Amino acid sequence: MHLRAMHVVAIVALDGVVPFDLSIPTGVFQHVRLPGGRAGYEVRVCGVTPEVNAGVFTLRTHSGLEELARADTVILPGIADVSAPMPEELLRAVRAAAASGTRVASICSGAFLLAATGLLDGRRATTHWRVTDELARRHPEIQVDPDVLYVDEGQFLTSAGAAAGLDLCLHMVRLDHGAAVAADAARLSVMPLERDGGQSQFILHAPPAPDGSSLEPLLRWLDENLHEPLTLEDIARHAALSVRTLNRRFREQMGTTPLQWILRARVRRAQQLLETTGHSVEAIAERVGFGSATAFREHFQRFVTTSPQAYRRAFRSAPPASH
């Protein structure tokens, strides 16, 4: 989709806006240059009110919501409090813009604003991983994907938390003006044009808490024995339960099966080793209980949506240790 050279982007500012989410599209789109040096976008920050409380500061906007009707793209940045009332005048303006064919995108928790318009009903969407469950609870008609960096549903696009807004904005630049222009914009943002993986790699998974639940001792035993070739029968025997009862209790208390829980726990352990050691992928696969490096890579890709090597490049926080 190659649009006219001066594409108007209207970025909405409202009380409680997340300053970082507001600055991302402003910074990306206003610096896009087409061949010959022409600006690729005209950027307008549109306030729901003339003065907007952004938490740590107050900002004044040059434009109001009437600009949404003249925009080619409307962007809804994240809001600090997703439980705050959604301004009805904003929802009406976004619906009207969408009805005329305007592209609408949200960044981070801005997905709650877009969802409140009803425009995401029956579509896929994402938001910051901390609030994906809440978005799905409030809007069961939306297919919420907690793992990806952004979702492109054509006219409506949503991004995950914080820096994923950069990925989404660069994606839109590429759609509008091609890969070469988008690559230049990515270099200005000191970002790769495409990042490996999704937001699964950023989600913190805490170990089981000692809350006295009936599975807690078993979970600790499993965590200590991840390197062993555990079978469902081995786990049931240790727990003094039948396989059927074991599966039922895992479903009730953990929302998954014992073997799926083990796979996730092994991947978590592998993430720690990739971050803090220089062990080879093959050695890590053996240490965390995968039968082969191939199986390890497949399961890591499935749960983290990136490869072990790419994850290590992004997250290793210590000098490599010896093999």
Side-chain angles (χ1 to χ4, degrees):
M1 179 173 62
H2 292 270
L3 304 178
R4 59 189 173 85
M6 190 54 69
H7 178 115
V8 177
V9 176
I11 305 165
V12 175
L14 72 163
D15 285 345
V17 68
V18 176
F20 185 59
D21 294 353
L22 180 67
S23 68
I24 285 172
T26 305
V28 170
F29 289 114
Q30 72 175 351
H31 291 118
V32 170
R33 291 294 178 269
L34 304 182
R38 293 175 297 128
Y41 298 91
E42 180 181 341
V43 178
R44 300 171 186 169
V45 177
C46 306
V48 175
T49 54
E51 283 198 355
V52 173
N53 180 0
V56 295
F57 56 81
T58 298
L59 61 90
R60 292 189 61 85
T61 58
H62 296 304
S63 304
L65 293 181
E66 68 279 357
E67 292 296 331
L68 272 60
R70 294 187 279 271
D72 299 288
T73 295
V74 170
I75 297 182
L76 303 173
I79 49 177
D81 182 4
V82 298
S83 64
M86 307 294 177
E88 186 56 40
E89 63 270 34
L90 171 59
L91 302 183
R92 286 196 301 268
V94 173
R95 291 189 195 105
S100 67
T102 298
R103 180 172 62 185
V104 184
S106 65
I107 294 176
C108 194
S109 56
F112 284 81
L113 292 168
L114 186 50
T117 67
L119 296 170
L120 291 179
D121 291 0
R123 304 177 187 273
R124 286 178 65 238
T126 193
T127 187
H128 193 289
W129 60 266
R130 285 185 180 272
V131 289
T132 50
D133 288 347
E134 178 64 14
L135 182 64
R137 185 190 68 78
R138 289 196 204 177
H139 301 278
E141 63 280 2
I142 299 173
Q143 181 186 344
V144 180
D145 189 336
D147 296 329
V148 295
L149 292 175
Y150 60 84
V151 172
D152 181 347
E153 283 280 287
Q155 186 182 2
F156 306 107
L157 303 93
T158 53
S159 83
L166 278 166
D167 298 277
L168 177 58
C169 291
L170 292 171
H171 171 68
M172 288 190 284
V173 172
R174 181 170 52 189
L175 289 175
D176 296 341
H177 298 298
V181 172
D184 285 341
R187 281 190 286 271
L188 283 173
S189 300
V190 197
M191 276 278 293
L193 185 53
E194 293 185 7
R195 284 197 290 164
D196 293 319
Q199 64 173 338
S200 289
Q201 59 193 302
F202 302 97
I203 300 174
L204 298 176
H205 301 276
D211 57 3
S213 66
S214 61
L215 284 179
E216 194 268 332
L218 178 60
L219 297 179
R220 293 195 175 279
W221 178 80
L222 290 173
D223 200 53
E224 293 167 0
N225 290 275
L226 291 176
H227 59 286
E228 299 289 346
L230 298 170
T231 66
L232 199 55
E233 290 72 21
D234 294 332
I235 301 168
R237 190 179 306 113
H238 179 84
L241 299 170
S242 68
V243 170
R244 182 177 179 180
T245 301
L246 177 72
N247 276 321
R248 178 174 58 80
R249 291 193 180 176
F250 254 82
R251 287 283 187 192
E252 291 172 349
Q253 297 185 35
M254 307 304 297
T256 188
T257 67
L259 295 182
Q260 285 297 307
W261 188 92
I262 289 171
L263 285 175
R264 288 183 180 276
R266 284 172 172 162
V267 169
R268 286 200 303 270
R269 180 73 53 78
Q271 287 176 285
Q272 294 170 357
L273 293 173
L274 288 165
E275 292 173 17
T276 60
T277 78
H279 298 316
S280 67
V281 169
E282 291 73 16
I284 290 175
E286 182 178 353
R287 282 173 179 249
V288 300
F290 285 103
S292 68
T294 299
F296 168 51
R297 289 187 177 95
E298 289 176 354
H299 288 299
F300 196 93
Q301 181 74 41
R302 173 187 165 197
F303 288 118
V304 190
T305 65
T306 191
S307 68
Q309 293 91 338
Y311 183 88
R312 168 171 272 168
R313 287 196 299 270
F315 290 98
R316 186 161 64 191
S317 58
S322 59
H323 285 53

